[in-house]
């Protein structure tokens, strides 16, 4: 018998986040490895979905989503970023931001293409592309400032480069790209005629008075940018699997067709729930969740510092990278396992976010937890000292 798995199968072997989650469960620890937010789902979102189910929104929707949700996404994009979006042709509702990114890669990139990616990276971006035969070219950002120059971008380019991926606010560094940095990316994309795939899933979580700038709003960027975001984080509905891509209709149609092929459509009643959330939740809701995460960031980063794990204080999202070189071990993984054994707190080794050696000095902690869980984790970390 010569049955065997595909050549791409090794690419999706157990991720470090899943490994740490399993290790954490084994020792009954506190899981700060997984990026799952414990916050409650806003009532209009839950009610909108429940009412839609009762009202018969239970069948396939159009491949790019229900009109109510596409219209609400277009209105939201204008409200928060000033972008003018046509809900009929420029929005594709998908299976989370993950689905939108996959459908966009399928629709716009070919095997053998290269894509510029900043590291530390979000693993799904890399593995999604690798599974399609697309090669990442890394621009390495280092703590504490995570800065880059136009020359850094140029060094990553070859004749096969077709796109750049931009995750702002970023996971895991919590970097919020400034307008100046985005202008560098815009110039770079224009001069090499690249697509810009964004991942703005943490767009509402920005701290210390910073503003999220949507890359598509920069001059010259509208046509080349595939703006990707979703509801998992902002409404704490990671299990609903709803996100979207916004882009020029010339790209939205093929993205929609691949979205249809892989997902058919987003879950119909849940689409209505998210549409209701977008329509009814006011600025106070968004400011509230951001302030809540900022408060937890401050508490948690203080605990990391007390534990001797110097934090690289994030500007957005809900993760903190910390310097773990004070822990015993030769690699980030050994250090993370030591921390788990000693304190019962699980984190992700920084090597999960870097190809190069920088990751071995770092670990990522998710602080979007209920207060009692976070307090328990902080008390355990402080006992390290
Ligand atoms: N993009 C980033 C950067 C993330 O950190 C995550 C989840 O951790 C996702 C996308 C997943 O988004 P979704 O649940 O909408 O697929």
């Amino acid at each position: 018998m010569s049955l065997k798995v595909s050549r791409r199968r090794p690419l999706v072997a157990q991720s470090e986040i899943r490994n740490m989650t399993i290790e954490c469960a084994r020792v009954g620890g506190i899981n700060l490895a997984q990026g799952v937010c414990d916050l409650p789902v806003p009532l209009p979102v839950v009610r909108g979905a429940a009412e839609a189910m009762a009202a018969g929104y239970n069948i396939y929707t159009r491949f790019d989503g229900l009109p109510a949700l596409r219209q609400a996404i277009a209105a939201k994009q204008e409200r928060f970023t000033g972008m003018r979006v046509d809900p009929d042709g420029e929005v594709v509702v998908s299976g989370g931001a993950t689905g939108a990114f996959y459908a966009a890669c399928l629709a716009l990139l070919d095997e053998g293409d290269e894509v510029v990616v900043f590291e530390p990276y979000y693993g799904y971006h890399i593995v999604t592309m690798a599974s399609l035969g697309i090669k990442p070219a890394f621009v390495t950002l280092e703590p504490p400032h995570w800065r880059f120059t136009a020359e850094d971008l140029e060094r990553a380019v070859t004749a096969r480069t077709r796109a750049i991926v931009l995750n702002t606010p970023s996971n895991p560094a919590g970097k919020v790209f400034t307008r100046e940095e985005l202008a560098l990316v815009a110039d770079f994309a224009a001069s090499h005629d690249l697509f810009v795939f964004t991942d703005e899933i943490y767009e509402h979580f920005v701290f210390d008075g910073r503003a999220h700038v949507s890359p598509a709003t920069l001059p010259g960027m509208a046509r080349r940018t595939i703006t990707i975001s979703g509801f998992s984080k902002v409404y704490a509905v990671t299990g609903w699997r709803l996100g979207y891509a916004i882009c020029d209709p010339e790209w939205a149609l093929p993205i929609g067709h691949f979205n249809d092929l892989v997902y058919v459509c987003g879950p119909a009643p849940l689409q209505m729930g998210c549409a209701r959330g977008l329509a009814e939740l006011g600025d106070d809701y968004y400011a509230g969740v951001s302030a809540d995460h900022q408060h937890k960031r401050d508490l948690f980063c203080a605990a990391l510092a007390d534990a001797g794990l110097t934090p690289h204080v994030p500007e957005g999202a809900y993760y903190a990278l910390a310097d773990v070189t004070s822990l015993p071990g030769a690699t980030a993984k050994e250090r993370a396992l030591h921390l788990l054994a000693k304190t019962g707190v699980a984190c992700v080794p920084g090597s999960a976010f870097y190809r190069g050696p920088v990751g071995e000095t770092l670990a990522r902690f998710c602080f979007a937890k209920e207060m009692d869980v976070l307090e328990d984790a902080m008390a355990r970390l402080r006992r390290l000292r």
Side-chain angles (χ1 to χ4, degrees), residues 162-176:
R162 298 275 320 285
I164 178 167
V165 174
L166 204 52
N167 174 209
T168 181
S170 79
N171 170 11
K175 178 182 176 64
V176 176

Side-chain angles (χ1 to χ4, degrees), residues 35 95-99 122 124-125 167 169-171 199 201-202 229-233 237-238 241-243 318-319 364:
T98 307
Y122 172 59
Y124 270 69
H125 292 155
N167 174 209
S170 79
N171 170 11
D199 180 336
I201 192 89
Y202 298 104
S229 192
F231 303 102
S232 283
K233 312 288 175 173
V237 289
T238 49
R241 310 308 313 130
L242 273 175
Y318 52 48
Y319 307 93
R364 188 196 77 175

Side-chain angles (χ1 to χ4, degrees), residues 61-67 69-71 73 86-94 242-245 252-253 255-257 259-260 264-266 271:
T61 74
R62 209 171 88 171
F63 66 93
D64 54 357
L66 286 166
L69 181 56
R70 281 183 281 108
Q71 282 155 15
I73 290 168
D86 181 353
D88 202 10
E90 293 184 337
V91 179
V92 182
V93 173
S94 186
L242 273 175
Y244 50 89
L253 188 66
I255 291 172
H257 286 168
N259 187 61
D260 182 13
V264 181
C265 65
Q271 290 191 48

